[in-house]
Amino acid sequence: MELTICHLYPDVLNLYGDRGNILCLRRRLEWRGIEVTVTEKPIGSERSLGNCDLIFIGGGQDFEQETLLADLHQGKDAELCAAINDGVAVLAICGGYQMLGNYYETYDGHRCDFIGAIDLCTIGSAVRMIGNYMFRCDAESGGAVVVGFENHSGKTRLGEGVKPLGRVIAGYGNNGEDGTEGVRWKNVFGTYSHGPLLPKNPGLCDNILLTALIRKYGHATLDPLDDTAENRAHDEMAARLTKTG
Ligand code: GLN
């Protein structure tokens, strides 16, 4: 088995080292003898998102999101929509997650029209939502408790019939009001959780990998790995957030 991972906009969307998630995806495949190719698609790169099995998009500040708009609307928007509709697995974080929706209106009134692959929109608020947070994935996304870190001004609302990735246990998630976090649409996993999301949450990583493998091969299983260290880090953070949450 093999997977091709496409890292979209690594040049501008890489806040808090979001690219560490690529390393995690890669290693957890290689440790199981599954081949991986990672291709980077920065601003100005050729299109061809449809040829990959998994697309990763990190987060970025309002400035970076506005910087990439011209390139996005030169065809990558349509390609990304087509890939999502075709069931390509996607992990998108914060600014990258917002980009899959209809638009983002910044707090100071700039409007970024995004790709509209998923019916959701984001509006900037005066108060930033910052800090370590925790949510439980819905059952269809594995049910795992995820510990993460969020930093956003945008409040995201999901459209009718669009399901979240999970429900907030501590922190803000999509908007700090309706208890939802992220989005789960076709094979897309969207989340506000920055940085080492996958190293801290190996169960979620494997869920995303399985989603991509099953789409490609019809069925797939992943050999178990020794996640003792990862689970200890996860449980330590979950315990802290339970006390403060
Ligand atoms: N600019 C967006 C917001 O503040 C996304 C930020 C991010 O990716 N951290 O909502």
Side-chain angles (χ1 to χ4, degrees):
M1 290 197 291
E2 58 166 345
L3 279 188
T4 301
I5 299 175
C6 168
H7 188 177
L8 185 60
Y9 296 133
D11 46 345
V12 278
L13 296 182
N14 181 36
L15 210 53
Y16 301 113
D18 287 337
R19 72 167 64 237
N21 293 306
I22 294 270
L23 292 177
C24 185
L25 291 162
R26 179 195 272 283
R27 288 286 179 271
R28 292 184 74 83
L29 287 167
E30 288 173 347
W31 285 334
R32 289 149 160 148
I34 300 171
E35 281 181 45
V36 197
T37 310
V38 178
T39 55
E40 299 203 335
K41 299 278 174 198
I43 287 179
S45 60
E46 289 289 303
R47 308 196 317 253
S48 69
L49 299 174
N51 300 332
C52 58
D53 307 305
L54 205 168
I55 297 172
F56 174 77
I57 317 171
Q61 303 171 75
D62 297 4
F63 173 77
E64 280 92 23
Q65 288 179 292
E66 290 178 40
T67 303
L68 61 79
L69 275 184
D71 184 79
L72 182 67
H73 291 309
Q74 270 165 29
K76 286 198 180 83
D77 47 1
E79 267 204 324
L80 202 42
C81 285
I84 288 171
N85 285 330
D86 202 27
V88 171
V90 178
L91 171 62
I93 295 182
C94 199
Y97 157 42
Q98 295 171 353
M99 198 177 93
L100 304 182
N102 300 320
Y103 62 85
Y104 171 43
E105 208 173 284
T106 65
Y107 183 61
D108 57 1
H110 290 242
R111 184 176 158 119
C112 301
D113 283 317
F114 286 143
I115 70 167
I118 308 175
D119 183 17
L120 57 90
C121 30
T122 305
I123 299 193
S125 64
V127 180
R128 294 197 72 81
M129 289 156 273
I130 306 180
N132 293 312
Y133 77 129
M134 176 161 67
F135 60 94
R136 183 185 296 281
C137 289
D138 283 0
E140 67 193 76
S141 298
V145 170
V146 171
V147 291
F149 172 77
E150 61 183 329
N151 180 359
H152 51 111
S153 136
K155 292 191 171 193
T156 297
R157 310 266 168 200
L158 305 177
E160 186 98 11
V162 178
K163 292 192 181 153
L165 177 61
R167 313 280 157 173
V168 175
I169 301 172
Y172 300 93
N174 278 338
N175 49 55
E177 289 160 24
D178 66 11
T180 65
E181 154 59 18
V183 75
R184 189 70 178 80
W185 174 260
K186 294 187 184 272
N187 286 336
V188 175
F189 297 73
T191 177
Y192 269 109
S193 184
H194 267 295
L197 165 67
L198 299 182
K200 274 193 296 198
N201 299 283
L204 179 62
C205 185
D206 284 356
N207 196 335
I208 295 167
L209 291 174
L210 264 181
T211 301
L213 287 165
I214 289 170
R215 171 182 175 266
K216 185 167 189 179
Y217 294 104
H219 65 92
T221 52
L222 288 172
D223 296 337
L225 297 173
D226 178 4
D227 291 329
T228 310
E230 289 86 342
N231 288 335
R232 279 186 62 183
H234 172 283
D235 293 350
E236 168 69 31
M237 186 49 85
R240 274 198 233 171
L241 286 166
T242 303
K243 275 185 216 135
T244 58

